[in-house]
Amino acid sequence: MKKFLIALLSVGALLSGAAVAELENPGGIGGLESLRGNSELEATRPADEFKDFPKDQIVASSYVYQPPLIPHSIRNYEVSLNANKCLACHSWKNSKESGATKISVTHYVNREDAVLADVSPRRYFCLQCHVPQTDAKPLVKNEFESVDSLQ
């Protein structure tokens, strides 16, 4: 089946005037530029540098129910199936002692609306919703306006 599909693609490429050589690079960039830049998919490039965190200011929320931004570095924080470094400071049990913001009560409710003694499994991986605040340049053009600015 695989040989048949390759033969069919080759015939299609010949009929369209494309060179067969293009079919030999199925993972190529195809003439598109992505957020990774103009590089082959197989190529590994160095990771971007970490952005600086504005430590002297808290970035305000832009919309209702926006998950709060993290105002500190999370480098080397483990948030995995076995450990969650965020809970060391932000759980209800530890927040008073650490001075950190408490986790919302919504994080202790499961999908059946039962209140749990510990953080709900669906809210355990904090970095799915909460991200560190930074003054980095946006990767793509963004024309977002907060609701307050539209009045």
Side-chain angles (χ1 to χ4, degrees), residues 90-92 95-96 100-104:
H90 294 279
S91 68
W92 279 57
S95 64
K96 185 179 280 186
T101 305
K102 280 188 226 177
I103 298 172
S104 167

Side-chain angles (χ1 to χ4, degrees), residues 35-37 39 43-48:
L35 294 175
R36 299 187 317 160
S39 63
T44 302
R45 68 173 187 76
D48 294 336

Side-chain angles (χ1 to χ4, degrees), residues 110-133:
N110 68 11
R111 62 181 76 203
E112 287 83 29
D113 290 330
V115 178
L116 307 173
D118 289 317
V119 174
S120 172
R122 68 181 184 154
R123 300 290 185 100
Y124 181 79
F125 296 100
C126 310
L127 302 177
Q128 287 181 174
C129 300
H130 302 278
V131 296
Q133 68 182 18

Side-chain angles (χ1 to χ4, degrees), residues 8-151:
L8 187 60
L9 287 172
S10 298
V11 170
L14 290 173
L15 293 175
S16 67
V20 177
E22 290 179 13
L23 295 175
E24 294 172 7
N25 186 13
I29 60 173
L32 298 176
E33 183 174 346
S34 70
L35 294 175
R36 299 187 317 160
N38 262 337
S39 63
E40 297 292 325
L41 291 176
E42 296 88 7
T44 302
R45 68 173 187 76
D48 294 336
E49 292 294 321
F50 274 92
K51 307 297 185 217
D52 290 329
F53 296 92
K55 295 171 179 55
D56 58 344
Q57 64 182 359
I58 300 293
V59 177
S61 296
S62 300
Y63 57 90
V64 178
Y65 300 121
Q66 173 184 347
L69 298 175
I70 302 169
H72 56 79
S73 175
I74 58 169
R75 186 184 297 248
N76 298 323
Y77 271 42
E78 182 178 355
V79 180
S80 68
L81 187 60
N82 300 319
N84 184 327
K85 174 73 171 163
C86 304
L87 296 177
C89 297
H90 294 279
S91 68
W92 279 57
K93 182 171 61 174
N94 300 332
S95 64
K96 185 179 280 186
E97 183 179 318
S98 69
T101 305
K102 280 188 226 177
I103 298 172
S104 167
V105 293
T106 60
H107 289 55
Y108 290 87
V109 178
N110 68 11
R111 62 181 76 203
E112 287 83 29
D113 290 330
V115 178
L116 307 173
D118 289 317
V119 174
S120 172
R122 68 181 184 154
R123 300 290 185 100
Y124 181 79
F125 296 100
C126 310
L127 302 177
Q128 287 181 174
C129 300
H130 302 278
V131 296
Q133 68 182 18
T134 182
D135 54 3
K137 181 183 142 214
L139 295 174
V140 294
K141 186 177 179 180
N142 184 350
E143 296 176 4
F144 174 82
E145 294 182 40
S146 69
V147 175
D148 294 336
S149 69
L150 299 175
Q151 296 178 350

